[in-house]
Amino acid sequence: MTEFNHPEQILKQFRFRLFLAGIFVVCLFGVLVVRLLWLQVISYEKYKSIAEDNRISIVPVVPNRGLILDRNGVVMANNYSAYTLEITPSKIKNLDEMLNELSDVVDITALDKKRFKKLKAETKRFESIPIRTRLSDEEVARFAVQSYRFPGVEIRARLFRQYPHGPSAAHLLGYIGRISQKDQERIEDLDMQDNYRGTTYIGKDGLEKRYETELHGLTGFEEVETSAGGRAVRVLSRKPAVPGRNLMLSIDIRLQQAAEKALEGRRGALVAIDPATGDVLAFVSAPSFDPNLFVEGIDFENWKALNESPDRPLLNRPIAGTYPPGSTFKPFMAMAALEKGFRTYGQVLRDPGFFDYGGRRFMDDKIGGHGAVDMYKSIADSCNTYYYMLGSEMGIDNISDFMAKFGFGQHSGIDLDGERIGVLPSKEWKAKTFKRPELKRWYNGETVSVAIGQGYNAYTPLQLAHAVAMLSTGGLDSKPRLVKAFQNPVNGEIEDRPIDSQQRLDLKASHVDNIKAAMRGVVLEGTARAVFAQSRYEVAGKTGTAQVFGLKKGESYKDKAQEERYRDHGWFIAFSPLQRPRIALAAIVENAGFGSQSAAPVVKAVLDKFWEIEGIPNPVMPAGKPVPPVTDEERQGE
């Protein structure tokens, strides 16, 4: 049977199909138009922002860290620019293999790799980590030629912290280091994340940490147009970074280094203060360490050497080392006796060479005693028996209440973290400190030891320096401070840091003059006379010898014959001149025996330098009556 095609039917089907196709095309265009309307009109702002983000990168501009200067403008901490080779771990597939290949181009030591892995453990994967710093121009050129082989590795120019005087003043300056997770949490707690974008270093210790906000500055930013490949094309806008402010210290680097030289090879501390303002002129802890070791991350060997050294170089002795004050406590005991009416200055007591109390005999330093002793002689010759008697009469609460006024057992207010308060013993302190009921009770015999600066007494060198500064000015309490002013590094403007409100103890002027005269007697005819015999400048002081509690049971103290670590600590406190003093000092030399032999020469070296700087000469004394030598018996009383 033959089939016939009907043209009209075929045409009708074609038109129907064409109509359906047209509707489909119109629908597609409709969808496209709707989508375009959605993207171009309704969601315009949203996608414009996303497009701009793809085209524009916000690059943080890290501010220059502020410098640290001494009182005369000598730089103690500065910055220098250097090239670093940095790796972003998230962009590296096989890190170990890449490091091996990179070592053929740039010299990378095993120590560099060890430090890198340590930093990698403390850093987020998408952040770059330095593998080498301070690259030479030759190394930069060599890497640049082969950089295509190492995606995720780049060379950057960065500013690095430098401490040009090395170990000098390390404990007060502190140091900076890479921002750790703990530091990051602290930054977030302070809501300062934006200000630390792009910053990799932060103050870790000392003034670098205490004044981090001032030193860091304000981070700026650049809006940079980038190509599709991420290459910077041009800078669209820029908000410059505000550099950190410079710290202008009260420290005089010349005095600082004179004290460090005098303490070289020994363990100890020295603090020198301007009594009128509280400005700290020298702040020494010996031995010291090189803060430059910490800037790029200290290696294990150096850290172990510092951390495990029996000399404890990381201990900030002026504020964290606590010691019995020994006989340097006696001038304050004498002042308490005058103020509270337990003694008069000219009252004479008989020293038989011992003091019996509570069934125990407390021996004086001098066999047979000092004989007739008034207050002047008790300080100049350092008579223990005089203070045994005084302490038993005053009682611990009278002693504790008076000593607290001079800052003993309290924070001094210095602008450094980590200050310890030490121990100012009292009945209340003992009851809170000990757990066993029989140990909570205060025994009057303990007061006898406290009165000569032993027993539970434990104070920092800064507390002793602060106390003698107050005594020298008749009770003026000026809080110790290290930072005098802030300097704008752009225009050089200086903003003085105001002195904290000063208070004055209610001390009778005649009592102050009497104690100062007795301390003057220490260097004229007392236990420190041999040290200061050749000094033309006027100085008053007090020697002290602090017993070390580690003395082996049953052994008697024999100074040089004693094992070094069991020898007594030597103290010396001083101020100069007698009226309107310009400088007050406290120095301790650990396990060095008598203060007149160990600490007093250290203080003299600093005073010599101080008066040399001030323009007052220190010539050799003309020939005259010879100064009698200080006997061992006299030294024992320190």
Side-chain angles (χ1 to χ4, degrees), residues 469-494:
M470 291 175 65
L471 180 61
S472 71
T473 55
L476 181 64
D477 183 4
S478 300
K479 284 187 178 180
R481 64 173 186 170
L482 289 164
V483 176
K484 288 185 62 177
F486 304 106
Q487 183 184 44
N488 186 320
V490 178
N491 57 27
E493 289 184 0
I494 294 175

Side-chain angles (χ1 to χ4, degrees), residues 432-623:
K432 289 180 178 178
T433 303
F434 293 93
K435 295 182 179 179
R436 291 164 54 186
E438 65 272 21
L439 296 179
K440 287 178 174 288
R441 178 187 169 190
W442 185 270
Y443 297 93
N444 292 334
E446 294 173 319
T447 309
V448 177
S449 294
V450 168
I452 64 164
Q454 294 293 160
Y456 295 114
N457 281 310
Y459 309 116
T460 66
L462 176 61
Q463 286 176 336
L464 263 294
H466 183 209
V468 76
M470 291 175 65
L471 180 61
S472 71
T473 55
L476 181 64
D477 183 4
S478 300
K479 284 187 178 180
R481 64 173 186 170
L482 289 164
V483 176
K484 288 185 62 177
F486 304 106
Q487 183 184 44
N488 186 320
V490 178
N491 57 27
E493 289 184 0
I494 294 175
E495 178 189 332
D496 290 328
R497 183 168 171 252
I499 298 173
D500 289 326
S501 57
Q502 296 175 314
Q503 299 178 342
R504 184 176 287 277
L505 300 183
D506 185 17
L507 302 175
K508 194 172 181 179
S510 61
H511 294 164
V512 174
D513 290 341
N514 286 336
I515 299 302
K516 290 169 69 172
M519 294 178 71
R520 177 68 174 146
V522 171
V523 301
L524 287 178
E525 56 183 340
T527 52
R529 63 180 182 269
V531 178
F532 289 91
Q534 302 295 317
S535 300
R536 281 282 181 87
Y537 53 78
E538 190 179 47
V539 59
K542 182 69 189 81
T543 53
T545 304
Q547 189 178 44
V548 175
F549 295 121
L551 189 64
K552 295 177 182 178
K553 188 175 180 180
E555 286 189 342
S556 59
Y557 183 74
K558 297 178 182 178
D559 192 26
K560 299 299 182 183
Q562 197 71 38
E563 185 179 336
E564 195 268 346
R565 296 280 171 173
Y566 293 116
R567 294 176 191 165
D568 294 341
H569 302 317
W571 277 104
F572 192 71
I573 59 174
F575 59 91
S576 179
L578 206 62
Q579 303 302 324
R580 296 183 181 178
R582 303 275 303 280
I583 184 172
L585 312 91
I588 186 170
V589 183
E590 294 180 7
N591 308 118
F594 304 118
S596 59
Q597 293 179 324
S598 57
V602 172
V603 169
K604 183 180 183 297
V606 178
L607 285 172
D608 287 350
K609 190 66 177 180
F610 177 80
W611 289 117
E612 176 190 318
I613 293 169
E614 294 297 308
I616 299 177
N618 182 28
V620 176
M621 289 281 286

